[in-house]
Amino acid sequence: MQEPVIFREMQLQDIDQVLHVEKHAFATPWRRQAFLQELTQNPYATYIVAETAEKIVGYCGMWVIIDEAHITNIALLPAQRGKKLGEALLKHAIQLIQEKGGRTVSLEVRVSNKIAQNLYKKLGFQYGGVRKGYYTDNHEDAVVMWVNI
C-alpha cells in the first residue's frame, strides 16, 4: 500500500531533502545556491514538494509570469517512480499555476526521456520544437512541450 502524499509549498528548510532528490534524479543536479536564489530572489518562482511521512520524495518548480508558466524542474526519488506520483505532482503544479493566473505551461524534457514525454502527453502537453544541445552534461537535445490550461 502506498503511503499518503501531501503537496505543499517548498520552504528553505526543505532544501537539504530536495537536494537529496535532485542528486538521485539528475546527472547534473542543481546546487543549493540555485534553490536558495529561486526561493528568495525570484518573484516569479514557486516550488512545491511531495512529502510522505515527513520525508520529501519529489518536488516541482515553476515560474508564472503574467499568464505564462514554465516548469523549471520536476523530480522524484527513483523508488517513487511508477506509482502515479509524478502525474499527481504535475497536476498539483498545474492547478497552482491556474490559481496564479497561468493559462499556458511550457517545459523542456530530454529527447531520450520517453517516460516523462508520455506523462506530459497524457496531461495534454503538445510538441513545440527542439532545443539543440540544451543539456550541459551531454549536450542532449531537449523537446519543448506546452499546454493550454
Side-chain angles (χ1 to χ4, degrees):
M1 183 166 166
Q2 188 171 330
E3 291 182 78
V5 178
I6 63 160
F7 301 102
R8 61 172 177 79
E9 198 159 326
M10 184 178 163
Q11 305 297 316
L12 287 173
Q13 62 266 26
D14 297 327
I15 291 177
D16 285 342
Q17 289 188 67
V18 168
L19 287 170
H20 178 77
V21 173
E22 183 80 0
K23 182 177 121 181
H24 287 88
F26 298 116
T28 309
W30 278 20
R31 293 191 170 100
R32 175 180 304 279
Q33 187 59 37
F35 287 105
L36 279 170
Q37 185 168 334
E38 286 292 277
L39 293 177
T40 63
Q41 304 295 315
N42 185 344
Y44 306 110
T46 300
Y47 283 72
I48 57 175
V49 296
E51 189 173 50
T52 63
E54 307 294 323
K55 179 183 170 190
I56 292 172
V57 297
Y59 77 95
C60 181
M62 65 211 85
W63 295 346
V64 182
I65 304 170
I66 307 175
D67 63 349
E68 295 180 10
H70 182 73
I71 302 290
T72 57
N73 39 20
I74 184 169
L76 294 173
L77 286 173
Q80 299 297 323
R81 296 178 189 157
K83 299 177 181 179
K84 306 280 185 200
L85 185 54
E87 181 176 344
L89 179 59
L90 187 54
K91 283 180 176 179
H92 188 80
I94 290 170
Q95 179 183 343
L96 188 57
I97 288 166
Q98 286 177 313
E99 290 170 8
K100 291 178 173 283
R103 297 290 166 250
T104 63
V105 182
S106 65
L107 54 78
E108 290 91 9
V109 58
R110 288 180 185 268
V111 295
S112 63
N113 193 345
K114 299 300 184 192
I115 292 172
Q117 290 175 41
N118 288 337
L119 168 61
Y120 304 145
K121 287 177 193 171
K122 179 179 180 180
L123 296 182
F125 282 78
Q126 301 173 17
Y127 175 84
V130 173
R131 295 194 199 282
K132 293 285 187 190
Y134 181 79
Y135 292 96
T136 57
D137 61 335
N138 64 357
H139 304 290
E140 184 175 356
D141 295 346
V143 174
V144 178
M145 299 183 81
W146 64 272
V147 66
N148 290 320
I149 54 173

